[in-house]
Amino acid sequence: MHRSAPRIARVLACAAVPVLLVAGCSSGSDSAKKPDGAGSGKTSASAAPAAAKFAKLPDACKSVTQATVGRLVPKVKSAAGTAAKSPVQDQRGGCSWNGLDGYQFRWLDVALQRFDSAGGVGSGEEQAKKRFTEQVAAAAQVKGATSVKADGVGDEATLVSALVEKDKLNYQDETVVARTGNVIVILSHNGAGFEGAKTPAADQLQKDALAAAKEAVASVTAANAAANT
């Protein structure tokens, strides 16, 4: 145990750094350079697309309940979560949680992205549909990954499951990519057993990830309903 403690500490240190919409960076778009849906500003009023359904994002660290965090991440390091830094918080947001219960490690991450409607770019929903397809494809690139449609999670959703080896440890990784209107929600939940402990069962992680993804999607609707009251 004493010899392996530094290795566990390194894994936890790396896991504590949230990544904001990782898959979104793989699309090759210039969305990181300018707000999504900024457009060229040269379109006519007649060509203007329909207004986006959602005008704001919820606080990613509050997109799932504390009860859910406690259930999915036993002995969570920070129940409040670690927010991802974003220069455009009305368009991108993220939060992550991690915890080590004995030799069982768990990670939970929520990433949100919202698209505005703009002439020359398309409606927010059209852009979100395109990004949804890109995100599913990016998540499914992991070796051995399998994907299935997830009913009842937003307007459309896909669950991608994979057993990933990293630092000589096996991580069971479950990623739910969902779209609700003009917003993309990506929820990742994974776990590993340290020091020879058993890798968590995929079916339980999948069940938990889907339930948490439903909460995150619902939080988008709730945040916008509150803004309109």
Side-chain angles (χ1 to χ4, degrees):
M1 172 63 186
H2 294 294
R3 290 193 299 271
S4 61
R7 182 164 71 95
I8 294 178
R10 287 196 298 272
V11 172
L12 292 176
C14 293
V17 181
V19 180
L20 180 56
L21 211 63
V22 177
C25 299
S26 67
S27 66
S29 70
D30 62 350
S31 59
K33 299 178 183 178
K34 64 183 180 180
D36 292 290
S40 63
K42 298 181 181 180
T43 58
S44 65
S46 61
K53 181 178 181 179
F54 298 118
K56 66 175 297 184
L57 290 177
D59 180 341
C61 289
K62 296 179 181 178
S63 62
V64 292
T65 67
Q66 289 292 293
T68 294
V69 171
R71 182 167 55 82
L72 272 60
V73 189
K75 296 194 176 178
V76 62
K77 185 176 180 180
S78 172
T82 301
K85 295 181 179 179
S86 171
V88 282
Q89 297 201 9
D90 64 329
Q91 293 182 337
R92 292 176 184 258
C95 192
S96 66
W97 300 261
N98 69 87
L100 183 64
D101 184 4
Y103 292 121
Q104 286 294 325
F105 172 76
R106 295 292 185 273
W107 167 276
L108 176 65
D109 180 273
V110 177
L112 308 168
Q113 185 172 16
R114 186 184 66 81
F115 295 85
D116 283 322
S117 296
V121 180
S123 70
E125 184 165 335
E126 289 171 341
Q127 295 176 67
K129 286 180 178 179
K130 179 181 178 181
R131 181 52 61 88
F132 171 81
T133 300
E134 294 172 345
Q135 300 288 41
V136 171
Q141 286 179 354
V142 177
K143 183 179 180 182
T146 61
S147 60
V148 295
K149 289 185 177 180
D151 296 330
V153 185
D155 294 320
E156 55 182 333
T158 297
L159 169 68
V160 181
S161 178
L163 183 63
V164 181
E165 183 178 343
K166 181 179 180 181
D167 297 327
K168 297 183 179 180
L169 290 172
N170 288 324
Y171 290 80
Q172 183 62 48
D173 184 80
E174 308 300 331
T175 299
V176 181
V177 182
R179 180 185 66 83
T180 176
N182 57 308
V183 174
I184 296 297
V185 176
I186 300 179
L187 186 138
S188 298
H189 182 39
N190 67 52
F194 291 167
E195 298 305 305
K198 189 176 181 180
T199 303
D203 57 352
Q204 185 60 54
L205 290 184
Q206 290 169 7
K207 180 180 178 181
D208 289 340
L210 287 169
K214 287 181 180 180
E215 286 187 11
V217 167
S219 75
V220 176
T221 300
N224 283 270
N228 293 329
T229 58

